[in-house]
Amino acid sequence: MRTRARAFFILFCTQVLTLVGLLVHAVGPDWADAPAIREQRALVQHLQLTDLCLFTEARYTRHPSQADLSTPFQDHPVSLEHFPSGSFLPAPVSIRRVDVALD
Amino acid sequence: MWRWIERQQHLVGFTLSSLLRRKGKTLGLLGLYVLIVFVLASVTFFARALQREAALLLAHSPEMVVQRTVAGRHDLMPVRYLDVIRAIRGVQAAHGRLWGYYYEPHDGATYTVLVPPAHAVPGTAGEAERPGVGETPAALPSAAIGAGTAVVGNGIVRLRRAAVGDVMPLAAHDGSVVTLRIADTFSAASELVSSDLILVTEADFRRLFGIDTAYVTDVAVTVRNPAELRVIASKISRQLPDTRPITRAEILRTYESIFNWRGGMIVVIFVAAILAFVIFAWDRASGLSAEERREIGILKAIGWETADVIHLKLWEGAVLSLTAFLGGVILAYVHVFFTGALVFEAALKGWSTLYPRFRLVPAVGAEQIAALFFLTVVPYTVATIVPSWRAATIDPDTAMRNTAE
């Protein structure tokens, strides 16, 4: 039984050390100043970019910060969001405050 | 103290033997538990990392972008609006941006066509006013964009299997073909901002979309004092009522709300994982199996106290939940930061055929780990104690007899 208890403690310690190692990896180097971040930040500044290239399926998902205020409802005022990536972007707070259910 | 440690060692040993006797059930339980923690941790890590990445990258986006809206939609802005904006006190510079979308039917992809500020024709903005002019960053492909040439994003290169020097024919607004030679490409490391970009000269842009020189897409505004940004935005709205100013703070807020746990698919994943966990913990809390009940009966019959049985079950819950929690969190970290969130890729791609390949910068806080711990380990461990206490307080003979039912 003691052998099993020791084996568990070894497994537990290994897992804890791995997690600590990963957390050190997360905070260790200055990620905010990593070459890839610096490069992309310079591009954003130089090209005056406003959005991340995450969802290219529609114009308002490609540039969500530049989209018209009512873009997700562009077909008619109570239409459901059309594209899958729209489900990652919640409606603005002002719309969520409306008491009447829109859909 | 040593006696206490020795006692705990024996209890853990006994717990492990007990769990290994029910190997199939234990492994199934552990697998399910690891999976639930993995899903919850992956969603949390991914959302936080993406929000941080957006904050880091877009901190240098324009201070303010002014759009013109017509009939509720974004419309082209007359160049004369630039003079009105420049005349507002506190505005340091205002220059027209030229960008648009090009849908490529063969690939089913939408590209973003952009004129770099340095390549805009003088007149839409003063040379000195344009940010970035004369200080080309290393990230910007070195090849100069000239008439009939373009610099394209890595996503487009991958999608079209194109290379530097290849020719890219694009259908212009009037049905004619605009042929662009790929002069250079963006680096793979910059895909999160440049994957679908096509940089062209102003002349090529206007020829492609048929936009008159009297118009620009929108206006980027720089102010002298950032504290006055809101006041200047309201002045612009007053003087040009058909425009909509978007400040950098609003751009950043958009990405703070992306993958918000209260929104869309994330809430579905979260609720599904938490419900699965509740059912799982409830199953443990609602009662013990006949075998476990018999085991408790035997332990009580050979002289174990109720406290010893509860202690044993506490260890059982702790062994399972700690192993699953640590395993799930480690797997989630590897999944999000080393494999580029492979499992989420299909959901993120949606209908888009052009998707960037990117590695997120690790962003994990102690509070995230603590929240996951209290959400998963504590309820399960507590859930295992209640039925054990109930079984341990009844007569051993009854406990053993009930197993036949």
Side-chain angles (χ1 to χ4, degrees):
Chain A
M1 269 187 212
R2 276 191 171 198
T3 321
R4 279 189 182 148
R6 279 201 195 110
F8 170 72
F9 281 121
I10 290 169
L11 173 74
F12 177 72
C13 290
T14 312
Q15 283 186 311
V16 170
L17 285 176
T18 312
L19 186 62
V20 170
L22 292 175
L23 289 178
V24 169
H25 174 255
V27 295
D30 190 3
W31 289 112
D33 205 35
I37 294 289
R38 274 210 310 268
E39 182 182 332
Q40 293 182 94
R41 215 163 30 202
L43 265 184
V44 167
Q45 186 173 15
H46 186 79
L47 299 177
Q48 298 263 289
L49 304 177
T50 53
D51 288 86
L52 299 184
C53 178
L54 270 176
F55 316 114
T56 59
E57 51 201 9
R59 63 178 192 278
Y60 62 91
T61 59
R62 170 64 180 92
H63 291 95
S65 78
Q66 305 297 300
D68 303 340
L69 287 172
S70 55
T71 330
F73 312 104
Q74 57 186 324
D75 293 329
H76 66 94
V78 293
S79 67
L80 282 163
E81 166 51 37
H82 187 61
F83 288 101
S85 54
S87 67
F88 291 113
L89 285 158
V93 179
S94 54
I95 289 179
R96 285 208 299 268
R97 282 199 195 118
V98 173
D99 293 322
V100 181
L102 293 176
D103 286 318
Chain B
M1 183 66 184
W2 283 112
R3 218 177 123 75
W4 184 85
I5 291 173
E6 204 172 337
R7 187 163 178 266
Q8 301 308 313
Q9 268 189 349
H10 284 296
L11 276 172
V12 172
F14 191 87
T15 303
L16 292 169
S17 306
S18 166
L19 287 171
L20 289 173
R21 266 199 300 279
R22 309 184 294 266
K23 204 177 276 177
K25 193 184 169 192
T26 306
L27 285 178
L29 211 67
L30 193 66
L32 181 67
Y33 204 158
V34 169
L35 191 69
I36 292 172
V37 176
F38 169 77
V39 170
L40 283 172
S42 291
V43 169
T44 317
F45 293 168
F46 187 76
R48 166 87 171 260
L50 204 61
Q51 286 167 348
R52 182 168 177 237
E53 192 108 351
L56 283 174
L57 300 182
L58 300 176
H60 289 82
S61 58
E63 277 183 315
M64 192 197 302
V65 173
V66 184
Q67 291 180 344
R68 183 179 179 228
T69 50
V70 173
R73 294 197 178 208
H74 182 192
D75 204 52
L76 295 175
M77 182 172 266
V79 172
R80 65 186 155 80
Y81 277 30
L82 281 163
D83 298 326
V84 179
I85 294 170
R86 281 181 193 135
I88 292 172
R89 189 196 288 258
V91 172
Q92 190 177 29
H95 71 274
R97 297 197 313 155
L98 283 167
W99 63 278
Y101 300 106
Y102 177 84
Y103 178 69
E104 175 56 65
H106 298 297
D107 309 325
T110 305
Y111 307 148
T112 301
V113 186
L114 177 84
V115 179
H119 288 79
V121 169
T124 52
E127 200 64 33
E129 290 173 346
R130 280 188 230 126
V133 175
E135 38 172 291
T136 309
L140 197 65
S142 52
I145 307 160
T149 62
V151 171
V152 300
N154 220 36
I156 299 175
V157 171
R158 200 169 43 241
L159 193 69
R160 299 179 71 111
R161 294 192 183 88
V164 174
D166 283 3
V167 167
M168 212 166 67
L170 302 179
H173 70 104
D174 55 359
S176 62
V177 176
V178 173
T179 310
L180 297 170
R181 191 178 52 79
I182 300 174
D184 207 346
T185 60
F186 286 100
S187 74
S190 69
E191 277 206 39
L192 196 52
V193 293
S194 69
S195 191
D196 71 334
L197 284 187
I198 299 181
L199 299 187
V200 292
T201 59
E202 181 173 347
D204 284 334
F205 180 88
R206 292 194 187 276
R207 192 154 58 94
L208 187 64
F209 296 113
I211 295 174
D212 191 82
T213 48
Y215 292 93
V216 287
T217 309
D218 51 28
V219 175
V221 179
T222 315
V223 298
R224 284 196 184 87
N225 179 5
E228 290 177 354
L229 205 61
R230 280 182 155 273
V231 180
I232 293 168
S234 63
K235 278 183 184 170
I236 293 172
S237 295
R238 261 201 312 275
Q239 294 191 26
L240 300 166
D242 60 345
T243 60
R244 175 190 166 214
I246 302 163
T247 62
R248 186 189 286 160
E250 284 169 330
I251 292 173
L252 293 173
R253 258 206 311 278
T254 303
Y255 284 89
E256 273 169 29
S257 70
I258 197 168
F259 296 101
N260 190 306
W261 69 272
R262 284 170 295 182
M265 217 177 272
I266 298 296
V267 81
V268 173
I269 296 172
F270 241 90
V271 169
I274 287 172
L275 270 180
F277 184 73
V278 167
I279 294 167
F280 177 51
W282 179 255
D283 178 56
R284 297 294 298 161
S286 60
L288 299 171
S289 68
E291 202 186 333
E292 284 172 298
R293 211 182 278 263
R294 194 164 63 100
E295 189 184 33
I296 291 175
I298 292 168
L299 291 175
K300 290 274 292 190
I302 60 169
W304 281 48
E305 296 288 327
T306 303
D308 296 331
V309 174
I310 292 172
H311 215 142
L312 176 77
K313 287 291 164 186
L314 189 70
W315 265 118
E316 196 177 299
V319 163
L320 265 176
S321 53
L322 282 174
T323 311
F325 171 76
L326 291 167
V329 170
I330 291 167
L331 284 177
Y333 190 98
V334 172
H335 166 236
V336 174
F337 301 116
F338 291 112
T339 72
L342 206 66
V343 176
F344 297 154
E345 199 183 286
L348 288 168
K349 268 184 180 169
W351 289 12
S352 49
T353 52
L354 198 159
Y355 184 71
R357 284 187 188 155
F358 58 90
R359 279 277 170 88
L360 289 171
V361 161
V364 178
E367 75 284 357
Q368 277 177 292
I369 305 283
L372 282 167
F373 182 84
F374 285 106
L375 200 68
T376 54
V377 174
V378 176
Y380 181 81
T381 310
V382 172
T384 53
I385 297 170
V386 181
S388 310
W389 172 75
R390 273 167 47 199
T393 47
I394 56 170
D395 184 52
D397 184 46
T398 319
M400 281 189 278
R401 275 176 201 281
N402 278 350
T403 59
E405 286 170 15

